[in-house]
Amino acid sequence: MAVIRDVMPAFELLQPNSVAEAQSLLEQHGGDAWVLAGGLDTFDWLKDRIKRPKTVVDLSGIEELRGIRPTSDGFEIGAMTTLTELVQHPVLRQQYSLLSEAASVVASPQIRNQGTIGGNVSQDTRCWYYRAGWPCYRAGGNICYADTPEGRNREHAILHADRCVAVNPSDTAPALIALDAKFVIRTRQGVRVVNAEDYFIGPDIDITRLHILEAGDLLTAIQLPSLWAGANFYFEKVRDRNVWDFPLLNVASAMFLSNGRIDRIRIAVNAAAARPLRLTAVENAVRGMPANAATGEMAGKLAVQGAVPLQFNAYKIPLMRNLVKRAIGGVEEAKWAS
Ligand SMILES: Cc1cc2nc3c(=O)[nH]c(=O)nc-3n(C[C@H](O)[C@H](O)[C@H](O)COP(=O)(O)OP(=O)(O)OC[C@H]3O[C@@H](n4cnc5c(N)ncnc54)[C@H](O)[C@@H]3O)c2cc1C
Ligand code: SF4
């Protein structure tokens, strides 16, 4: 299907100054409205004419959605805070460096200056077929073009596929899961606060979106609890090119050690499935064990249990095994190296 990249089709642009006003506009326009944050994902869809909203609600004028604030239990990040702000914030760099590091490897400096944390965790999948307007399952059709013998599926899922084999491409999402972040959502019914891992959904729940937001909902902030501040962190992203590129896989872990043994741990990977995966079986298996290469080896094997490769992405299985291995064993190695 040809992709047209000339001027964008016309839409009504609404620019509210407050969350309350934005929400009322979203309620008024229902499914016809599109939330605009930094525009990096949004404008691709609009320019390619694959998504054609009648109304766009631009959040850029809402001051209350910006900034990083201390709370009684950690920090709160407004959804419109840019990725660059996360990278540069001195306290985040010191106490929640996992998130700053994940944000620092998103795309390019220009994209990080414009892209927001709310947009980064709410962005859509990059599956070629879907982005080019092919009428696949995710687009309402009855076929997956990527899951065919000749399909281009090198970047696609190895776990939890259900008709669609596309993955979530966010680099910050696994870091937020490892930090046990809470997502604050304004819905018609009021404010809802969900655990980071519950913000994301797979095609088994809804094949048309990667997160729980419904028409009219707004992600307003992300809270980082103090419980994981200053933990031993590990983040690693593997991509085709070490300039701007989406992850082939990434891993994020946070752990506290006691006498060299893992006391508390959270670990997540992304780009392995349609939602970032918290690896709870791994967390349970390594608690109480030394954070060394042998424990990492065991954790890596456990992490990929049940993985099913497509025609061109079998490499992701050893890759994920090794990322998990390093995320656990790497903490001790890093300590010795420093
Ligand atoms: C060339 C390129 C390379 C990239 N590489 C990477 C990469 O390596 N790693 C990575 O993680 N990301 C990457 N990205 C994504 C980028 O980081 C953006 O952060 C992300 O696409 C969207 O952020 P945005 O603020 O521009 O949001 P937008 O594009 O405006 O919004 C994205 C989606 O989220 C919804 N949304 C945004 N904010 C809210 C909110 N507060 N409430 C409800 N819905 C909301 C919008 O409606 C839209 O559907 C890349 C993007 C591009 C264009
Ligand atoms: S992987 Fe998902 S988004 Fe891509 S073609 Fe298949 S159904 Fe569509």
Side-chain angles (χ1 to χ4, degrees):
M1 186 164 295
V3 172
I4 303 165
R5 288 201 174 81
D6 55 4
V7 292
M8 275 186 272
F11 51 77
E12 185 183 17
L13 179 65
L14 302 173
Q15 299 187 294
N17 293 317
S18 67
V19 170
E21 198 189 338
Q23 206 171 14
S24 131
L25 291 170
L26 287 171
E27 273 174 30
Q28 222 173 298
H29 294 273
D32 290 334
W34 180 284
V35 173
L36 171 65
L40 291 155
D41 200 14
T42 296
F43 290 134
D44 270 1
W45 285 120
L46 304 193
K47 283 193 288 185
D48 289 347
R49 300 174 181 227
I50 310 294
K51 310 269 183 186
R52 294 166 175 253
K54 289 196 181 120
T55 308
V56 171
V57 178
D58 173 12
L59 305 182
S60 65
I62 307 180
E63 216 35 56
E64 60 192 294
L65 288 178
R66 293 185 185 281
I68 302 166
R69 308 168 274 274
T71 63
S72 56
D73 176 37
F75 275 83
E76 182 169 271
I77 305 168
M80 287 296 287
T81 305
T82 66
L83 297 168
T84 297
E85 287 173 89
L86 296 187
V87 176
Q88 294 179 347
H89 193 273
V91 185
L92 286 197
R93 284 170 72 103
Q94 198 193 10
Q95 293 182 17
Y96 301 93
S97 57
L98 186 65
L99 181 58
S100 310
E101 198 182 337
S104 77
V105 290
V106 169
S108 64
Q110 292 88 341
I111 289 172
R112 294 193 292 273
N113 288 344
Q114 177 70 17
T116 65
I117 185 67
N120 191 259
V121 294
S122 311
Q123 63 178 302
D124 214 333
T125 180
R126 306 302 298 190
C127 173
W128 323 104
Y129 300 99
Y130 173 60
R131 304 278 316 189
W134 291 46
C136 65
Y137 283 128
R138 191 168 284 277
N142 63 0
I143 183 173
C144 172
Y145 298 96
D147 191 7
T148 56
E150 272 109 41
R152 289 177 65 190
N153 53 37
R154 212 177 133 264
E155 295 79 6
H156 288 66
I158 51 170
L159 283 157
H160 303 295
D162 182 337
R163 293 158 293 150
C164 175
V165 294
V167 297
N168 183 308
S170 168
D171 281 314
T172 60
L176 290 165
I177 291 174
L179 289 167
D180 199 11
K182 313 290 172 202
F183 286 32
V184 184
I185 302 166
R186 287 277 285 262
T187 73
R188 278 164 207 251
Q189 287 73 39
V191 177
R192 192 178 163 202
V193 180
V194 299
N195 292 329
E197 63 257 43
D198 298 330
Y199 183 73
F200 303 97
I201 53 175
D204 52 330
I205 294 180
D206 188 338
I207 203 165
T208 63
R209 55 200 163 114
L210 298 185
H211 50 68
I212 58 172
L213 297 184
E214 295 189 15
D217 290 354
L218 264 188
L219 173 67
T220 57
I222 293 176
Q223 297 169 340
L224 302 178
S226 58
L227 198 63
W228 291 91
N232 293 291
F233 295 129
Y234 189 93
F235 183 85
E236 187 173 349
K237 166 182 182 174
V238 174
R239 48 191 157 175
D240 275 326
R241 304 166 304 151
N242 269 338
V243 287
W244 62 267
D245 214 344
F246 288 94
L248 292 169
L249 273 179
N250 58 28
V251 67
S253 69
M255 67 171 101
F256 283 100
L257 303 178
S258 173
N259 298 324
R261 291 181 178 269
I262 299 168
D263 184 22
R264 287 197 277 134
I265 177 166
R266 289 177 67 96
I267 179 167
V269 295
N270 205 8
R275 60 187 167 86
L277 302 174
R278 180 179 170 201
L279 305 177
T280 40
V282 168
E283 292 171 9
N284 293 336
V286 303
R287 222 170 272 123
M289 300 189 70
N292 61 18
T295 305
E297 187 82 41
M298 178 274 284
K301 284 185 189 150
L302 185 59
V304 295
Q305 271 183 15
V308 180
L310 301 165
Q311 186 80 352
F312 299 112
N313 72 354
Y315 75 94
K316 278 199 178 189
I317 297 179
L319 182 58
M320 180 167 154
R321 194 169 59 228
N322 282 318
L323 287 185
V324 170
K325 178 180 161 184
R326 293 203 285 273
I328 286 166
V331 166
E332 195 178 69
E333 283 158 26
K335 206 170 59 189
W336 287 113
S338 62

